[in-house]
Amino acid sequence: AGGVGLIPTFTDGKVHDDIRKAVYKPFGPAQVAQLTKLTQDVCEDLVSGVIDRGECEFVSEIAARVPMNVICLMLG
């Protein structure tokens, strides 16, 4: 019932193992390590967009945007 059953934290046994296997390869340690440069580039782009102002609202203008930008770039 609902989507909670598909979150690995809320599953056990085979369901948990199947979900973990499905996400391990694209989000495993080696793949995440390769994202370092991509993440740095995203951060630099976001900061360069606000740097001339001399201030920004960090969470909404930088931090909240990093994960979605990285994921979008990963997906092409």
Side-chain angles (χ1 to χ4, degrees):
V4 173
L6 297 179
I7 300 172
T9 306
F10 298 111
T11 63
D12 290 320
K14 183 171 174 10
V15 173
H16 175 86
D17 293 343
D18 290 346
I19 294 170
R20 184 173 176 192
K21 286 176 190 173
V23 299
Y24 183 79
K25 185 167 178 124
F27 295 101
Q31 289 71 24
V32 171
Q34 292 177 353
L35 295 174
T36 299
K37 176 69 172 125
L38 177 64
T39 304
Q40 288 172 340
D41 291 344
V42 166
C43 292
E44 288 174 9
D45 284 346
L46 291 171
V47 170
S48 70
V50 299
I51 198 124
D52 289 339
R53 293 191 340 233
E55 65 181 16
C56 73
E57 202 305 297
F58 182 77
V59 172
S60 65
E61 294 184 76
I62 308 290
R65 295 179 182 189
V66 171
M68 186 56 67
N69 287 8
V70 170
I71 291 167
C72 287
L73 289 169
M74 286 172 63
L75 296 175

